[in-house]
Each structure stands twice: as C-alpha cells, then as structure tokens.
Amino acid sequence: MVDTDRVTGAAKEFVGKAQGAVGDLTGSKGDSVEGRFREAQGSAENLYGQAKDTARNVADEAGRYAEDAYENAGDYARRGSRAVAQQVEESPLVALLIAGAVGYGLALLMHARR
C-alpha cells in the first residue's frame, strides 16, 4: 500500500515543475520561484512518504520473522534435545564429564562474584 504522502508529494512536485516551466517561458520570476518551491515541497513530501513506507515494510518483515521464529522454536528445541539424548546414550561417560565440567565452571562463576 502506497502512503498518501507519496501521492500528494508527487502531484505537488509535478505541478511545481509545470509552474516553474511556465514561469521560465513567460519570464515571470514569481511563478518560476513559486514553482520551484512547490516542486521542492512535493519532493520532500514524496520522500517522507517513501520513508514511512519503508519503515512500515521493515516492521512487517520483522513481525513475520519473529512469528516464524516463535512457531519453529519448539521444533528446534525438540530436535536439539533428541540430539543431546542420542549423544548421551552413545557415550554416557563423556556426557557425565561434560556435565561435571559445566557444573564446576558455574560454581566458580557464582563464588567469584562474592
């Protein structure tokens, strides 16, 4: 969906260009300057609308990405837990040594803070 600022900005820019061109052809500096001013104003409004559209699109994409991550998180956790369970079944001694090392490291971290 295109932002209304883009549409009105583009229209103002077009009218400003036309008014500036007419002012240049007729030698009317007032019309020429006013036309250039309208053109710049329309261009700025158009750019503002484009920025709003871009921000809206980024927010929509981020929402879709977060929703996808939320929906798939359970699946990823189940796969990870199955892989860990399989490794523990294949080599329980290594799993016990790793768990002990992690526990020891956590204990060192907790006691180091005191």
Side-chain angles (χ1 to χ4, degrees):
M1 184 170 131
V2 176
D3 191 79
T4 56
D5 288 325
R6 289 180 72 176
V7 175
T8 58
K12 284 180 185 177
E13 188 175 0
F14 176 75
V15 169
K17 280 183 184 181
Q19 185 179 7
V22 168
D24 289 343
L25 286 174
T26 61
S28 172
K29 288 200 183 269
D31 282 341
S32 180
V33 169
E34 187 178 338
R36 300 292 180 248
F37 177 73
R38 280 189 183 175
E39 181 181 353
Q41 194 177 27
S43 179
E45 191 173 347
N46 189 353
L47 287 173
Y48 176 68
Q50 288 176 17
K52 284 181 8 182
D53 279 347
T54 301
R56 188 179 305 115
N57 290 342
V58 167
D60 289 347
E61 272 303 307
R64 280 193 286 276
Y65 180 75
E67 184 179 323
D68 184 49
Y70 178 75
E71 289 174 357
N72 292 323
D75 188 38
Y76 296 145
R78 279 189 293 280
R79 281 193 225 160
S81 122
R82 273 184 260 171
V84 168
Q86 182 181 2
Q87 290 298 321
V88 169
E89 285 177 9
E90 289 178 6
S91 51
L93 183 60
V94 172
L96 183 63
L97 289 173
I98 291 173
V102 168
Y104 183 73
L106 288 174
L108 284 177
L109 286 173
M110 290 173 63
H111 288 295
R113 290 187 180 183
R114 290 185 183 174

